[in-house]
Amino acid sequence: MTTLLEPAFAKVNLTLDVLGRRPDGYHDLRSVFQTVSVRDDLALDIGTGKPWRLQCSKEGIPCDERNLAWKAAKLFCELAKVEPEGLEIRITKRIPSEAGLGGGSADAAAVLRALNRHYGSPFSVGALAEIGAQVGSDVPFCVLGGTAMVEGRGERLRPLPPIPECFFVICKPDFSSSTPELYRQLDAQPIACRPDHRAMEAAILAGDLAAITRSVRNVFDDVVSAAHPEVGGIKSVFRTYGGMCAELTGSGSAIFTIVPSFEYAAVICDMLRGQYSNLFIGKSV
Ligand code: C5P
């Protein structure tokens, strides 16, 4: 039996624009994704000689073929025509679910990367990302990681240069939002303030952190903030203690800020700890 270890990093959306509804009912997006060092850890036992099994350190996560990590493993084995003769996936979960941090997708991407490496890289990174697209919309980006412009449903990726070193503080309030419902709300009303992708790309290319943070914008932020006033409270703590931006990631409910040093991040966490337990500090990866 061989054990493979693989980290699975969370993502935040530095920008997120919803462009329109497609004939298949999904929406086309344009978004700058950024990997952050908040992580799950995966261990894969190959050749257990037993039926497939998935274990997760956190309760409430499906531990069968509904889990994206399981789906990714199954699809990889089919397409690579390999038979692991028993597979156990163990997930040490830290990335909160229903947060917009892509935790399930990160786990699936980690499985794809680990299996691809184990079986002698039958797929290029691009091919692996295409396989990931069949598992979930955020999986292709999670296969690639770093900083990237993401379009379509998530399958079109254009890598961007890494952003300057900085720290992310992420706060996940207890509420969660229904993603389909949020898309319905966006369809029903004109979007008042969209991200300026030209400005964001120029800021990233220039390595200008202040300009990057000025261009942070997510169109889901207004609808989620309007429904949940506590988002405003978290943002105001971010801003008061040196946060350079304050925005929702994905369809929420996690909110993030960017700060120039760990000291700022630690102070912000101190200020929120009394009210919120799901607090994370990460760096860009
Ligand atoms: O990707 P996820 O499973 O989180 O999507 C949940 C729902 O959000 C989809 O069933 C769809 O209604 C909506 N969605 C969308 N366009 C996307 C992604 C999700 O309309 N690009």
Side-chain angles (χ1 to χ4, degrees):
M1 192 180 78
T2 311
T3 300
L4 315 176
L5 302 174
E6 188 71 19
F9 294 106
K11 60 84 176 164
V12 297
N13 299 89
L14 295 177
T15 60
L16 177 51
D17 200 0
V18 175
L19 302 179
R21 200 159 176 276
R22 305 154 31 132
D24 63 6
Y26 277 82
H27 291 73
D28 276 321
L29 310 176
R30 183 174 296 135
S31 175
V32 175
F33 278 55
Q34 173 65 52
T35 304
V36 291
S37 61
V38 177
R39 64 191 258 191
D40 294 345
D41 280 297
L42 276 84
L44 277 71
D45 292 336
I46 310 226
T48 59
K50 295 185 191 146
W52 282 30
R53 212 162 88 107
L54 188 146
Q55 279 184 295
C56 183
S57 63
K58 202 168 139 197
E59 276 176 31
I61 308 269
C63 285
D64 52 25
E65 61 280 355
R66 288 169 299 165
N67 192 299
L68 295 187
W70 184 304
K71 281 188 189 159
K74 192 157 174 287
L75 190 59
F76 179 93
C77 293
E78 274 168 30
L79 296 174
K81 299 192 173 58
V82 293
E83 172 46 71
E85 298 188 345
L87 174 70
E88 178 165 319
I89 303 173
R90 292 188 303 278
I91 305 175
T92 304
K93 196 99 200 119
R94 298 186 197 91
I95 307 171
S97 311
E98 300 182 329
L101 294 166
S105 304
D107 296 345
V111 164
L112 292 177
R113 276 196 308 270
L115 290 177
N116 199 45
R117 207 172 50 238
H118 177 72
Y119 287 106
S121 301
F123 302 110
S124 66
V125 174
L128 210 57
E130 278 177 34
I131 296 171
Q134 296 178 52
V135 180
S137 309
D138 291 341
V139 183
F141 170 76
C142 293
V143 167
L144 190 76
T147 310
M149 181 71 77
V150 177
E151 289 179 294
R153 257 181 71 180
E155 74 285 1
R156 294 208 306 275
L157 303 172
R158 184 159 53 83
L160 293 168
I163 64 168
E165 183 174 287
C166 61
F167 289 82
F168 288 78
V169 182
I170 299 164
C171 177
K172 160 77 178 74
D174 284 336
F175 72 85
S176 43
S177 310
S178 151
T179 305
E181 174 54 29
L182 290 176
Y183 276 102
R184 270 193 291 279
Q185 286 183 36
L186 284 189
D187 286 338
Q189 63 196 45
I191 295 173
C193 179
R194 293 179 183 273
D196 180 345
H197 277 106
R198 217 178 277 182
M200 178 55 94
E201 258 201 88
I204 292 172
L205 290 172
D208 182 341
L209 186 63
I212 290 170
T213 57
R214 282 197 298 276
S215 295
V216 165
R217 177 73 197 139
N218 175 348
V219 296
F220 285 113
D221 191 290
D222 292 339
V223 267
V224 173
S225 299
H228 300 278
E230 68 178 301
V231 171
I234 296 166
K235 286 181 171 183
S236 119
V237 173
F238 283 171
R239 295 268 186 211
T240 305
Y241 295 96
M244 300 167 80
C245 58
E247 199 78 1
L248 194 78
T249 176
S251 56
S253 62
I255 305 142
F256 73 96
T257 186
I258 295 175
V259 287
S261 74
F262 179 80
E263 285 69 24
Y264 280 93
V267 168
I268 291 175
C269 284
D270 271 353
M271 299 316 293
L272 289 169
R273 195 161 288 126
Q275 247 181 308
Y276 297 99
S277 51
N278 270 319
L279 283 169
F280 305 87
I281 298 177
K283 284 182 78 167
S284 55
V285 176

